[in-house]
Amino acid sequence: MAKVVIKDSPYNVKRAKILDIKSLTEKEKLFKIVFEDRSWLDFEPGQFIMVSLAGIGEIPISVCSSPLNRHYFEICVRAVGKVTNSLHRLNVGDIIGVRGPYGNGFPIKMIEGHDLLIIAGGLGLAPLRSLILYAIDNRRDFGEIHMLLGCKTPKELLFVDEIEEWGRRMDLHFACTVDRADPDWKGNVGLITSLIPGVDIDPLRTYAAVVGPPIMYKFVIKELLAKGLPVDQILLSFERHMKCGMGKCGRCQIQNLYCCKDGPVFTFKEIMDMAEAL
Amino acid sequence: MKIEQYRIIEKSKFDDFINSLITFSKVVAPVYKGFKNYIFQEIKSAEQVSLKYIPTIIPPKKYFMPQRETILQFDVNNELKVEPIVEYENLVLFGVHTCDIAGIKCLNMVLSDKPKDTAYLIRKKHITIIGLECNDYCDEYASCSFVGAHIPTTGYDLMFTDLGDYFIVHIHSSKGTDIIEKTGIFKPAKDNNIEELRNLRAQKLKIFNNEVPTERRYLPDLFDRSFNASVWKELEQKCLSCGNCTAVCPTCYCFDIKDDVDLTLKVGERYRIWFSCQLDPFAKVAGGIDFRKERSARQRHRFYRKFRYHIDRYGMVFCTGCGRCSRTCMAKINLKEVLTSLIKESEAKIWRKWL
Amino acid sequence: MSKPKVAFFDFACCEGCQLQVANIGELLIDVLDIIQVVEFREVMSEKWDGEFDVAFVEGSITDEHAVKRIKKIRERSKILVALGSCATIGGVNGMKNSFQLEEVGRYVYGEFYKFFPTIHTKAVHQVVKVDYFINGCPIYIPEFVTVLKSILQGIPYYVPEYPVCVECKLNENVCMYDRGLTCMGPVTKAGCNSWCINNGNICYGCRGLTINPNIEGFKEVLKNYKIPEDFLMKKIDMYNKCKELDKQ
């Protein structure tokens, strides 16, 4: 059996260095990362990368920084499994493996010129943050921007400093809610769906970008349809356990679609008749 | 049929051919394992080869995409060092039936789709395929005629066809020519040999009849109507989720990727290993949600992967009619029967619409 | 960095799994390079009175003394591993739970059975928290090594959630049902790389039922092969009787 090194293998990973680690909540940490060769991770908001720790494994994580930031990129990691828990134990300066980006992100060129309604549930804010930052950086190219955030409790709120800043901005309409409040919470209490009827949007001019836990989609979509949003202007990003990221391993297949290659961002129109999608 | 592409070899010389082949290459061929089971394995002499065999337990896909395959090696002793690798060897596959050649064509399609699977392509380049035409059905499970895999077309370097006292051999590539030349046992085919091959093919048209009461071109329509068919629900009770059907399928290629380290915990490898949509962890995500929880949905997914989804994506039916899934299924889930039930149910629906 | 301190303990069992570890062979040197075995009654006489980084526990819990003892071991161990079928699923000791305790006592100890108080057989996790499970009767050494590495890497080890058939097919074995034998592979947890079948034996189901097994479907299969249903249920009970306690 001959064994040769194949540098052009699609499974090859690039060495990337952790520049900074910030605890966002008890379970989530934000990693600031740069490729060791200083190359740029050229991605679209909503795309994901495969992050690997040699000897432990590889997982798909969406990039949560602005795609225009050429100095570094960020990922927000919730410690739930083998790789994510191990990532949480890493320190600044540690080296990880990265390949990607993969998939279709949010169709920015289509959204530009329209209003944008962002609906983020829990960790769903991570991929959407990339879109938000892009939209803020290119504010004049977008119409009205509405942001609805929701999470279980105030303690689980991600990117608190940024959220405060977004809340203060004049050019963003911002609302936030928690499922269960604590004594210090002064905002809305209730599911994220409860915020939707109150948003003042022109449904035909608006693209909604929705990311959250699987359970959230059905209810949010129902509200958005009630609001009059066309089915091809509702954008959803799906979570599946991609292993290859290249439409081969079959793990992320939703009927004839591969979440990793055709998604993870889909319009509601693409998947509305598909069992196994939501 | 271009006569210059054909050679003949008398059956009395067959052993000499194999034994000569073995002298210059590793040769893999169907070998009998008892209890009507055959497997492809390396042979050391001609008598090990089973010329008459029903499809092997696992198709020859195992040589193109091994059950467990190292894709990266790493070393974290000082700092992370990663090297993607491929392991391959020169290999002659002898005696591959046309159904399994069809299976390899399907895999070629998927793994050479972008981004290309470099390791697969390298391994493929080092394998020579010598086909062996079936003159009759292997058993009642086959449905090769339905998918058009019963007659050799492409996908081989040499194709052996049994014509009584001798084999006629079609040379399809320079790799094939090399073998013909190196072994030096073959004689040029004459007109009467070609005539006999024509007769056999004509005879085969009578033997091989479409095994499923529909045609390939109607598959997309049939499956578009059948997502909620009651057949799937029946499979819920039957299927054991053992994953045998997908493991033995020549066109199933789904996999998992895992890491392994040695006892120093510093050196190790990343490997991919066959996985199956029939198994519990396959479509589960981190939060524990399983997007294909029911066995019926998993079986349905398997059938749609064979007969619907990949027609859109790759323009090919991903069933080769080899019958392995039905042969291996302990619960007796039979591919032909499932298709037949789908057709019946779908026809009934269409009639109801008209009445 | 000092090597993690590892101990082995046994409860109701045949000590066969520890014997597997003792017979680990060539790997022994590499294993001892990364761990320090501080207590292992089967191979050494030294004892350890401090804390254990990792405690491997073989055997099931079958009386109150054992309950007390396993709780103490748990208190002294950072990581506790259930080793083998008796520890992970109750194993063959679980068959006791098919009978009245009094009946069992009388059968074993005769009229003095009351001097030997007993309880229903329990798997270790049914008494204390278990961090890692190594199934099998006996354990499969490559899996033991994988788990050991996972422990040292600080990552979980997931027992495969699919049946032995999956690994058996990858090994391209002739199916035992084709040979006319009854094999528990279709409903038994994988992870052993179909060890028994590779060596010409049937699967006895020693690793316990896989998650979400289709027992009704399996009964139908057995009918096709003219194997009595009762035969299957007995085979399942042989290793899985303690599972009932999980449901309570």
Side-chain angles (χ1 to χ4, degrees), chain A residues 26-250:
Chain A
E26 247 171 50
K27 287 215 138 158
E28 277 108 355
K29 280 185 179 177
L30 181 69
F31 295 81
K32 189 187 279 188
I33 300 165
V34 65
F35 282 124
E36 252 195 351
D37 62 4
R38 297 274 153 187
S39 60
W40 181 25
L41 179 75
D42 186 4
F43 71 99
E44 299 288 328
Q47 281 194 299
F48 67 94
I49 52 174
M50 298 297 293
V51 175
S52 66
L53 293 177
I56 292 170
E58 197 176 33
I59 48 161
I61 299 180
S62 45
V63 190
C64 70
S65 49
S66 166
L68 301 174
N69 185 338
R70 296 175 61 235
H71 306 295
Y72 59 85
F73 58 92
E74 288 171 322
I75 54 173
C76 175
V77 182
R78 176 181 289 176
V80 280
K82 191 155 77 173
V83 180
T84 48
N85 273 306
S86 305
L87 271 168
H88 271 235
R89 288 202 289 264
L90 293 184
N91 300 309
V92 171
D94 283 346
I95 300 288
I96 58 171
V98 172
R99 59 185 174 95
Y102 294 108
N104 284 316
F106 292 100
I108 287 177
K109 294 296 155 215
M110 264 160 63
I111 304 173
E112 279 176 5
H114 294 82
D115 296 347
L116 176 60
L117 168 59
I118 287 186
I119 301 180
L123 192 54
L125 180 57
L128 284 170
R129 175 172 175 259
S130 174
L131 179 63
I132 295 166
L133 295 175
Y134 178 88
I136 290 176
D137 285 346
N138 297 276
R139 187 62 193 87
R140 65 175 179 225
D141 296 330
F142 292 83
E144 297 295 321
I145 299 178
H146 301 266
M147 279 174 58
L148 308 180
L149 302 189
C151 62
K152 280 186 189 146
T153 63
K155 269 195 195 136
E156 284 159 62
L157 204 56
L158 298 167
F159 305 108
V160 178
D161 304 343
E162 284 165 69
I163 287 174
E164 273 174 20
E165 193 221 310
W166 296 338
R168 281 195 299 269
R169 284 183 79 109
M170 298 296 289
D171 56 354
L172 289 180
H173 306 283
F174 181 88
C176 185
T177 180
V178 296
D179 298 354
R180 286 186 309 277
D182 62 19
D184 298 332
W185 181 253
K186 295 186 184 68
N188 298 304
V189 179
L191 297 176
I192 193 156
T193 41
S194 64
L195 296 178
I196 300 173
V199 208
D200 181 21
I201 52 167
D202 176 353
L204 297 180
R205 271 182 50 89
T206 302
Y207 274 91
V210 187
V211 191
I215 181 86
M216 188 187 94
Y217 290 103
K218 265 179 225 169
F219 302 102
V220 167
I221 290 165
K222 206 175 144 200
E223 291 293 337
L224 291 175
L225 293 176
K227 205 90 182 148
L229 247 80
V231 285
D232 55 351
Q233 283 171 220
I234 300 176
L235 307 165
L236 314 162
S237 177
F238 287 150
E239 180 196 358
R240 290 295 187 278
H241 200 155
M242 297 97 170
K243 283 283 177 174
C244 71
M246 299 176 272
K248 307 264 199 286
C249 75

Side-chain angles (χ1 to χ4, degrees), chain A residues 1-15 36 52-58 80 95-97 99 102 214-215 239-241 243-244 246-258 261-262 274-278, chain B residues 71-74 76 79-89 110-111 113-119 122 227 253-257 259 261 270 272 275 281-287 289 291-292 297 300-301 305 309-310 312-314:
Chain A
M1 199 64 95
K3 193 200 285 183
V4 294
V5 176
I6 36 169
K7 284 279 179 226
D8 53 355
S9 162
Y11 296 104
N12 200 0
V13 298
K14 269 172 94 169
R15 289 162 51 95
E36 252 195 351
S52 66
L53 293 177
I56 292 170
E58 197 176 33
V80 280
I95 300 288
I96 58 171
R99 59 185 174 95
Y102 294 108
I215 181 86
E239 180 196 358
R240 290 295 187 278
H241 200 155
K243 283 283 177 174
C244 71
M246 299 176 272
K248 307 264 199 286
C249 75
R251 296 288 291 270
C252 67
Q253 198 174 6
I254 305 169
Q255 296 204 20
N256 60 343
L257 299 174
Y258 290 105
K261 216 176 168 182
D262 307 313
M274 278 190 191
E276 301 166 8
L278 290 173
Chain B
I71 52 177
L72 291 180
Q73 287 181 332
F74 50 75
V76 289
E79 50 176 9
L80 175 68
K81 228 171 82 187
V82 180
E83 274 183 339
I85 62 146
V86 58
E87 286 174 293
Y88 66 91
E89 60 187 333
V110 174
L111 292 151
D113 190 19
K114 278 187 175 176
K116 292 188 173 65
D117 196 281
T118 339
I122 291 173
F227 200 78
Y253 53 84
C254 288
F255 53 84
D256 198 0
I257 296 179
D259 282 20
V261 286
R270 178 160 297 158
R272 69 176 176 198
F275 208 29
F282 190 81
K284 251 186 210 164
V285 295
I289 295 175
F291 286 94
R292 226 175 285 114
R300 176 174 62 196
H301 185 71
R305 291 257 308 189
Y309 302 150
H310 282 21
D312 280 353
R313 198 168 280 269
Y314 299 111

Side-chain angles (χ1 to χ4, degrees), chain C:
Chain C
M1 211 175 77
S2 67
K3 291 188 262 185
K5 294 181 176 54
V6 173
F8 289 79
F9 298 99
D10 41 70
F11 288 80
C13 64
C14 73
E15 301 182 19
C17 293
Q18 290 172 90
L19 197 61
Q20 287 290 315
V21 178
N23 277 337
I24 195 164
E26 267 180 59
L27 282 168
L28 183 68
I29 296 167
D30 291 335
V31 168
L32 291 179
D33 263 350
I34 52 169
I35 60 170
Q36 184 195 353
V37 180
V38 293
E39 188 165 343
F40 191 165
R41 193 181 52 79
E42 204 171 84
V43 298
M44 58 197 261
S45 39
E46 291 88 338
K47 296 259 187 268
W48 183 258
D49 52 11
E51 204 180 43
F52 310 110
D53 292 299
V54 187
F56 288 93
V57 175
E58 185 184 349
S60 28
I61 310 303
T62 53
D63 61 31
E64 289 302 340
H65 295 294
V67 172
K68 274 183 210 143
R69 199 174 138 232
I70 187 68
K71 284 184 176 161
K72 274 208 181 110
I73 292 172
R74 174 73 264 193
E75 280 168 21
R76 292 170 63 196
S77 316
K78 285 186 197 150
I79 287 166
L80 191 135
V81 187
L83 188 71
S85 292
C86 299
T88 50
I89 56 171
V92 289
N93 298 320
M95 282 191 280
K96 172 178 162 190
N97 297 2
S98 305
F99 306 94
Q100 294 296 325
L101 287 179
E102 197 183 314
E103 192 188 338
V104 175
R106 243 184 241 283
Y107 185 84
V108 177
Y109 297 108
E111 54 181 311
F112 302 111
Y113 76 94
K114 281 197 173 149
F115 296 110
F116 303 94
T118 189
I119 59 172
H120 281 301
T121 302
K122 284 175 179 161
V124 176
H125 72 273
Q126 289 165 340
V127 184
V128 295
K129 181 174 166 274
V130 171
D131 303 298
Y132 291 85
F133 292 86
I134 308 176
N135 287 282
C137 178
I139 55 158
Y140 179 56
I141 280 300
E143 194 187 26
F144 170 80
V145 173
T146 302
V147 174
L148 183 64
K149 289 187 288 194
S150 301
I151 294 168
L152 298 177
Q153 284 178 296
I155 58 178
Y157 171 74
Y158 304 114
V159 180
E161 294 178 326
Y162 45 76
V164 172
C165 286
V166 174
E167 292 168 344
C168 193
K169 267 291 167 288
L170 263 50
N171 290 321
E172 213 171 359
N173 292 313
V174 173
C175 181
M176 285 296 161
Y177 287 85
D178 282 356
R179 293 173 188 258
L181 299 168
T182 314
C183 175
M184 294 295 282
V187 287
T188 302
K189 256 182 237 154
C192 57
N193 192 30
S194 63
W195 187 18
C196 292
I197 305 108
N198 299 352
N199 288 290
N201 206 343
I202 57 161
C203 170
Y204 292 93
C206 72
R207 299 173 58 87
L209 287 178
T210 180
I211 63 157
N212 193 17
N214 183 0
I215 299 292
E216 290 312 306
F218 195 42
K219 284 180 190 166
E220 284 302 309
V221 168
L222 295 180
K223 245 186 238 165
N224 292 334
Y225 289 95
K226 303 199 169 46
I227 298 159
E229 190 181 309
D230 175 53
F231 183 73
L232 165 76
M233 296 326 281
K234 278 185 185 154
K235 281 208 165 201
I236 291 181
D237 279 354
M238 186 156 107
Y239 279 103
N240 291 282
K241 201 66 194 169
C242 282
K243 219 177 170 185
E244 291 161 11
L245 298 171
D246 278 338
K247 289 171 197 153
Q248 284 164 13

Side-chain angles (χ1 to χ4, degrees), chain B residues 105-329:
Chain B
K105 285 199 267 184
C106 290
L107 294 186
N108 289 345
M109 193 62 137
V110 174
L111 292 151
S112 56
D113 190 19
K114 278 187 175 176
K116 292 188 173 65
D117 196 281
T118 339
Y120 178 89
L121 297 178
I122 291 173
R123 221 175 289 112
K124 172 181 164 231
K125 205 172 77 184
H126 289 86
I127 298 177
T128 305
I129 300 174
I130 305 181
L132 177 63
E133 184 170 1
C134 301
N135 294 358
D136 198 349
Y137 278 119
C138 48
D139 64 15
E140 71 278 16
Y141 294 105
S143 58
C144 43
S145 168
F146 170 60
V147 294
H150 59 310
I151 302 275
T153 54
T154 53
Y156 55 83
D157 298 292
L158 290 174
M159 175 59 69
F160 275 56
T161 305
D162 185 339
L163 289 175
D165 297 336
Y166 67 96
F167 290 102
I168 191 163
V169 181
H170 181 224
I171 308 170
H172 198 60
S173 72
S174 54
K175 261 189 192 171
T177 313
D178 286 350
I179 286 178
I180 296 284
E181 282 171 2
K182 270 193 192 161
T183 51
I185 295 171
F186 296 82
K187 286 190 272 187
K190 298 198 179 101
D191 286 336
N192 67 313
N193 303 129
I194 300 290
E195 194 50 36
E196 283 190 44
L197 178 60
R198 282 217 174 87
N199 290 341
L200 172 86
R201 295 272 162 86
Q203 187 61 31
K204 271 180 76 172
L205 289 182
K206 289 179 198 150
I207 297 169
F208 287 85
N209 284 303
N210 187 359
E211 305 85 355
V212 180
T214 186
E215 283 173 43
R216 239 182 309 161
R217 60 193 164 119
Y218 297 131
L219 279 171
D221 279 347
L222 171 67
F223 275 82
D224 285 344
R225 284 195 298 269
S226 301
F227 200 78
N228 295 314
S230 60
V231 183
W232 311 127
K233 278 166 218 120
E234 287 161 28
L235 298 186
E236 174 76 28
Q237 315 296 322
K238 271 185 153 183
C239 177
L240 302 184
S241 287
C242 69
N244 281 355
C245 49
T246 52
V248 302
C249 178
T251 74
C252 272
Y253 53 84
C254 288
F255 53 84
D256 198 0
I257 296 179
K258 292 180 177 176
D259 282 20
D260 193 16
V261 286
D262 70 5
L263 277 164
T264 65
L265 310 181
K266 299 286 187 192
V267 177
E269 60 176 26
R270 178 160 297 158
Y271 62 95
R272 69 176 176 198
I273 181 166
W274 292 1
F275 208 29
S276 164
C277 57
Q278 303 303 307
L279 308 180
D280 258 303
F282 190 81
K284 251 186 210 164
V285 295
I289 295 175
D290 187 346
F291 286 94
R292 226 175 285 114
K293 203 170 169 41
E294 294 84 29
R295 286 184 284 267
S296 51
R298 292 177 193 171
Q299 278 292 336
R300 176 174 62 196
H301 185 71
R302 176 169 78 92
F303 275 86
Y304 273 76
R305 291 257 308 189
K306 303 297 147 202
F307 296 109
R308 184 68 194 92
Y309 302 150
H310 282 21
I311 293 182
D312 280 353
R313 198 168 280 269
Y314 299 111
M316 286 165 89
V317 175
F318 265 58
C319 173
T320 71
C322 70
R324 280 191 181 86
C325 54
S326 315
R327 222 172 271 122
T328 196
C329 182

